[in-house]
Amino acid sequence: MIQFEARPGILDLSWGHPRPELLPTAEWGVAQAGALRASGWRALTYGYAAGPHPLTDWLAARLARIEGGTPQPESLFVTAGASHALALLASLLVEPGDVVLVDEPTYHLAFQIIADARAELRSVPAGDPAAVAAKVRAIRAEGRRVAFLYLVPTFANPTGRSLEPAARRALVEIEGLTVVEDDTYRELVYEGSAPPSLWHLAGGRNVIRIGSFAKTVAPGLRLGWISGTPGLVNRLASLGYVHSGGGVNHTTAVTMAEFGTSGAYDTHLARLRDAYRAQRDALVGALSPYTSIMRPAGGWFLWVTMPPGRSAVDLLPVAERQGVSFVPGPSFHLRGDGGHDRLRLSFSLLPPDDLAEAAARLIVALG
């Protein structure tokens, strides 16, 4: 019935999934009822191609309030989640023979989504804009085109880190390079505020932003968005399957608008931040005396460095015999040729006591 598969005896730190108790089941039911009262049959019919205005208006105003600027609902296209958004963009932006650059390490499940568009993927360290620019020039010298660069610059999966401000500014200034910014974790911030998005820094020029409610509300909604130019939004809205079926995930989008405008989203988000902060602190606190670790300011993940000479791939079966699991670092490298001494640990799924126990088991496995 669901994607997650629990394994008896395993405290699993590999899944980037929400903790079930934190999903807003009752609140979402209230929002559904409110949306049906407000919109009636309009909530259940074919939707507007780019997404219902109650949602795009609320979302545009929220994004403008977070980062400054003027709300731009015409720059938003509602999608069935972040993965759907990336697949749509790849289908529109990639032409035969194109190269797509991906940050390294980065969200590993994006590789197949982009490859499905028949792009050639090449890795590049997005934190080094000079290296990115050099790679773009080299590819163009081959007579090839770079369709776009994909990265998660804020509270990244898998590292939890955010791209430095100078690197953000330099990336968006690389001539002729389109950047696809996966901004999924922006609102899961536990200290201070999230850094400005690449989209905001570029004024929407050469940057396309992907957002999602999977982490802040619930992944089962399959609801996200694309921030792009009005021209890009029109191209998306003109796709055949959109023209045939209307707006993507219309009824859920209308309910999300009610969840947002009623104030329930803000209340829920504050609860999430408190819970995930406590979960992060439990895992970091249990691990930090024994291994090198960075405390991320947001997101769901820790990127742990193993002792010298140790292999994450070799450690995994040892750890699972101790009753704990994780994702080895090579999974987040395009060719699997890096990150051998790194572990990605997700603190999102388990409560603090379980995370402390998982850390204890991992420490035993590390010996």
Side-chain angles (χ1 to χ4, degrees), residues 47-300:
Y48 184 67
H53 283 304
L55 178 59
T56 55
D57 287 349
W58 171 79
L59 181 56
R62 182 176 187 83
L63 294 173
R65 185 170 69 255
I66 290 170
E67 295 193 283
T70 304
Q72 296 180 314
E74 68 278 6
S75 296
L76 293 170
F77 181 87
V78 175
T79 69
S83 294
H84 178 236
L86 182 58
L88 282 178
L89 291 172
S91 72
L92 281 184
L93 300 177
V94 173
E95 299 175 0
D98 278 358
V99 173
V100 171
L101 297 177
V102 293
D103 191 14
E104 194 166 61
T106 196
Y107 174 51
H108 58 316
L109 300 182
F111 298 152
Q112 185 60 52
I113 296 171
I114 298 168
D116 285 346
R118 302 183 184 273
E120 178 189 342
L121 277 68
R122 299 190 191 180
S123 61
V124 67
D128 183 352
V132 176
K135 180 67 72 77
V136 170
R137 289 193 297 270
I139 292 168
R140 290 171 178 165
E142 297 172 18
R144 309 281 296 280
R145 193 178 78 101
V146 177
F148 59 87
L149 163 67
Y150 168 82
L151 75 162
V152 188
T154 303
F155 311 137
N157 181 1
T159 67
R161 298 189 181 101
S162 293
L163 203 63
E164 293 296 325
R168 289 171 182 261
R169 290 190 293 270
L171 269 184
V172 302
E173 293 298 327
I174 296 175
E175 184 177 358
L177 177 64
T178 296
V179 177
V180 173
E181 175 184 23
D182 188 336
D183 209 23
T184 302
Y185 299 95
R186 167 163 299 278
E187 294 230 73
L188 292 180
V189 56
Y190 312 130
E191 279 90 33
S193 58
S197 66
L198 305 185
W199 162 263
H200 177 73
L201 290 173
R205 177 181 54 86
N206 295 336
V207 177
I208 304 167
R209 175 161 58 173
I210 293 172
S212 174
F213 294 107
K215 277 55 176 183
T216 55
V217 184
L221 304 183
R222 306 315 304 140
L223 188 67
W225 69 90
I226 292 169
S227 296
T229 64
L232 177 67
V233 171
N234 288 336
R235 288 181 66 193
L236 291 163
S238 299
L239 290 170
Y241 91 95
V242 179
H243 182 68
S244 171
V248 176
N249 214 352
H250 171 69
T251 301
T252 302
V254 171
T255 303
M256 184 61 223
E258 174 68 20
F259 194 68
T261 57
S262 70
Y265 177 77
D266 286 324
T267 301
H268 172 69
L269 185 59
R271 174 173 170 251
L272 276 191
R273 286 171 172 164
D274 287 344
Y276 288 137
R277 183 187 299 110
Q279 289 169 218
R280 177 205 61 182
D281 290 348
L283 189 55
V284 170
L287 287 172
S288 56
Y290 301 95
T291 186
S292 174
I293 194 166
M294 182 205 76
R295 184 188 302 267
W300 275 0

